Amino acid sequence: MYEAGNLDGCNRFQLARYITFPAIMPIVTIMFIFAVGGIVADDFDQIFNLYSPAVYKVGDVLGTYAYRNGIESMDYSFATAVGLFMNIVSLILVLAANFFAKRYSDNGIR
């Protein structure tokens, strides 16, 4: 397609606009949908390694809060509820992003 574009007199900008971007748009859309689902993730490992009682007030995220109040206090039902809540929010975000991706373009997760 690039050779045909060059023969037709396209410059580099036109090749990118009419050939490259439409070709990679499905991949960009799927990566965007998966990235939206990762918004809820809080990178528990890095935060937990630097976590101490001195920084509970400012360093608490949903994952460390669930760990501290659920696992350390042996309230497993609370930790499970927090994990389920985070997964449901992620699922809703992924479904909404997929809905809008399909609505405004032909790309999305089928």
Side-chain angles (χ1 to χ4, degrees):
M1 293 191 60
Y2 289 109
E3 291 177 13
N6 285 331
L7 288 175
D8 288 341
C10 292
N11 59 22
R12 291 181 133 189
F13 176 73
Q14 290 170 331
L15 288 174
R17 181 176 177 197
Y18 295 112
I19 297 173
T20 305
F21 292 150
I24 65 172
M25 210 52 196
I27 303 301
V28 170
T29 304
I30 290 173
M31 294 299 291
F32 171 74
I33 291 170
F34 289 152
V36 167
I39 289 174
V40 179
D42 53 10
D43 202 12
F44 174 80
D45 296 336
Q46 283 186 342
I47 295 169
F48 186 71
N49 284 332
L50 300 172
Y51 202 53
S52 69
V55 296
Y56 282 167
K57 200 174 195 179
V58 295
D60 228 0
V61 295
L62 202 53
T64 56
Y65 178 75
Y67 178 80
R68 189 166 40 93
N69 289 330
I71 304 297
E72 288 179 356
S73 302
M74 287 192 244
D75 189 8
Y76 301 121
S77 61
F78 177 76
T80 304
V82 170
L84 180 66
F85 174 75
M86 288 174 54
N87 288 331
I88 288 173
V89 169
S90 291
L91 177 67
I92 290 170
L93 289 173
V94 166
L95 292 176
N98 188 37
F99 172 77
F100 287 115
K102 283 183 182 179
R103 184 172 182 164
Y104 293 113
S105 69
D106 293 332
N107 304 322
I109 302 170
R110 305 269 176 227

